[in-house]
Amino acid sequence: MTVQDRPLRGAWKITGLLFLFMLINFGDKVVVGLAKGPISEELNLSPEQYGLLASSFFFLFAVSAVVVGFIANRIRARRVLLAMAIIWSLVQFPMLTTVNLEVLMACRIVLGIGEGPAAAVAVHATYKWFPDKLRGLPTAILAQGSALGVIVTVPALNWIILHYSWHWAFGALGIAGLLWAVAWLIFGSEGTLVDHPAGGGSHDAHIPYRYLLTCPSIVAAACTCFSAYWGLSLGLTWFTSYLREALGYSQQEAGTFTILPWIFGFFVVMIGGYISQRLSSKGASSRIARGIFPATTLILGGCLMPFVGSLPSPAFNLALLIFGSAIGSTVYVVLPMIVSELTPHPQRAAMLATSGAFYTLAGIIAPFVMGKVIQDAATPAAGYEFGYLIMGCLMIAGGLIGFLLIRPEADRKRLAMRMTTAPAMRTASA
């Protein structure tokens, strides 16, 4: 192996570890939705109460993302990632005992605090190894940690729920998180690449946050992801229940079918990330590669969602829901690339976390809204159908915002005019 090969080998090693980090992260997220039936029966929860439980994970998710994002500007990402993994692992173990709704909600809130910054800090750590033009594939791989987190963990967790209890499903995730923390402590390392987006500049270039936070491309990309995340949060919390309560599948069948949207989404994100990177490498503008292309797929998915429940068989309705909810998943790949393209390196972690904090607010609202809609509907099936209609309208609106307003080239020129030299500060890359 040559000296030139060593940085690349290290980059992919870190990408692989962070892929596993995101895999466990999404296993933690999906377990409540997968165990909705047994949890609701044991704790005697109404649909509205379960919706509140599902939303509780996101109560402080966004706040933690922003706070830790700014911390990650100054502290090495390696240390931040290790601390998060330990927190979300330890908070799973109280569920091994008999708990009530309040204890379960408290643990999910703390878990949300630990996982809120996860995606942003993982992307920030990865981008310390890859230049802008080569970030499409590693970003897609990290995004696939979420898909495979469901694909890999759902069958195992469902087996544990069926043969042991939902309590042990949480315990298994805690053990997996601690094992990752040990691996990261041994093999994790910090990248040294410093890039200069938004028109170049020195390593201590700075753009006032008021201009970054109101940048049209960043705001539009976050709005687009908000509408997509609405659907993702429903997939994490209500999809298994929809299969059981509206389509008539058993717990075992529903648990098996829960992985299907994530399998499809896996290919969507990998292909979409490749297409976006390919377009960029062939000279296409960021507006096309990172704006128009992913926004169009989200609009397509939104147009299909109002028809969920109206097809003649459960299999057709399931297929339509899977395709419509997952086809726009490329937006999760392009958002961090847009933010990174427009943000100076010393501010990148904070902006990635802040944009992520905004769009994950959908995780607070969507599960509770779906629970309220189901509880107030004449039948559960009618409630789910109306909930997916709301989701489709949001996807169309978010896609249109992205299609019209994501213009990184124009915003890069405007932000370059606002660039100054920041006071000396100790950054995570120092």
Side-chain angles (χ1 to χ4, degrees):
M1 182 177 64
T2 66
V3 174
Q4 290 83 358
D5 292 329
R6 289 174 186 169
L8 184 60
R9 181 179 179 183
W12 289 113
K13 178 188 73 174
I14 295 301
T15 302
L17 284 169
L18 293 176
F19 165 82
L20 294 175
F21 177 82
M22 295 305 299
L23 186 150
I24 297 169
N25 178 288
F26 267 75
D28 292 341
K29 287 182 173 70
V30 77
V31 65
V32 163
L34 187 64
K36 188 262 183 183
I39 291 174
S40 295
E41 291 171 7
E42 182 173 322
L43 302 183
N44 194 28
L45 303 182
S46 68
E48 187 173 350
Q49 286 176 310
Y50 169 75
L52 184 63
L53 169 63
S55 294
S56 65
F57 174 83
F58 293 97
F59 284 175
L60 296 176
F61 190 94
V63 175
S64 173
V66 174
V67 171
V68 177
F70 278 90
I71 292 174
N73 281 345
R74 296 174 174 268
I75 297 178
R76 290 178 178 271
R78 180 177 182 271
R79 297 176 182 175
V80 178
L81 291 163
L82 178 63
M84 285 190 291
I86 292 172
I87 289 171
W88 78 48
S89 300
L90 296 179
V91 79
Q92 304 286 13
F93 295 120
M95 262 71 76
L96 290 173
T97 63
T98 301
V99 296
N100 55 27
L101 176 60
E102 290 74 20
V103 172
L104 185 52
M105 284 184 62
C107 289
R108 295 299 288 179
I109 291 170
V110 175
L111 181 66
I113 293 172
E115 296 196 349
V121 178
V123 169
H124 175 60
T126 304
Y127 285 2
K128 292 185 177 186
W129 294 89
F130 294 93
D132 182 69
K133 291 295 184 181
L134 299 179
R135 287 173 179 167
L137 183 57
T139 306
I141 290 173
L142 289 190
Q144 285 324 298
S146 63
L148 286 180
V150 178
I151 295 169
V152 172
T153 61
V154 160
L157 294 174
N158 197 49
W159 185 87
I160 293 172
I161 291 168
L162 288 170
H163 292 86
Y164 293 91
S165 72
W166 65 267
H167 299 273
W168 272 106
F170 286 85
L173 289 168
I175 294 170
L178 289 178
L179 290 175
W180 184 90
V182 172
W184 182 251
L185 190 62
I186 297 171
F187 301 109
S189 57
E190 195 84 6
T192 58
L193 178 64
V194 177
D195 50 11
H196 309 288
S202 63
H203 71 278
D204 57 353
H206 179 84
I207 298 173
Y209 281 104
R210 65 181 179 276
Y211 297 119
L212 291 172
L213 293 171
T214 57
C215 173
S217 290
I218 294 177
V219 173
C223 289
T224 302
C225 278
F226 178 92
S227 63
Y229 205 83
W230 186 284
L232 185 146
S233 61
L234 291 182
L236 290 169
T237 55
W238 284 103
F239 183 79
T240 306
S241 299
Y242 173 70
L243 300 184
R244 294 176 64 242
E245 298 171 7
L247 299 186
Y249 292 107
S250 67
Q251 173 67 33
Q252 184 170 357
E253 292 171 329
T256 300
F257 293 154
T258 293
I259 68 173
L260 295 179
W262 303 92
I263 293 175
F264 180 65
F266 173 88
F267 290 103
V268 168
V269 171
M270 291 301 293
I271 294 171
Y274 172 79
I275 292 173
S276 178
Q277 180 169 303
R278 184 74 173 171
L279 288 170
S280 295
S281 65
K282 290 294 185 180
S285 66
S286 287
R287 170 164 168 69
I288 293 174
R290 299 175 178 179
I292 291 175
F293 163 60
T296 300
T297 63
L298 188 64
I299 293 170
L300 172 61
C303 290
L304 297 176
M305 296 308 297
F307 301 100
V308 172
S310 62
L311 298 184
S313 73
F316 286 139
N317 285 301
L318 176 59
L320 184 65
L321 177 57
I322 290 170
F323 185 87
S325 61
I327 193 62
S329 300
T330 306
V331 299
Y332 302 118
V333 178
V334 300
L335 172 65
M337 291 193 289
I338 291 169
V339 173
S340 180
E341 181 180 350
L342 298 173
T343 305
H345 177 92
Q347 299 171 273
R348 184 174 62 201
M351 284 304 301
L352 286 170
T354 302
S355 59
F358 172 78
Y359 76 73
T360 55
L361 289 174
I364 299 176
I365 306 169
F368 180 75
V369 169
M370 179 65 92
K372 183 68 174 175
V373 166
I374 293 170
Q375 186 159 309
D376 294 343
T379 64
Y384 282 108
E385 290 172 18
F386 185 60
Y388 288 130
L389 171 63
I390 295 172
M391 172 180 159
C393 293
L394 287 171
M395 291 171 66
I396 293 171
L400 288 173
I401 290 172
F403 188 96
L404 296 173
L405 298 179
I406 295 177
R407 300 172 179 268
E409 288 81 6
D411 288 330
R412 190 187 308 121
K413 294 177 182 178
R414 284 194 289 267
L415 290 173
M417 298 173 62
R418 305 292 185 181
M419 187 176 292
T420 61
T421 299
M425 58 185 291
R426 181 171 60 86
T427 68
S429 61

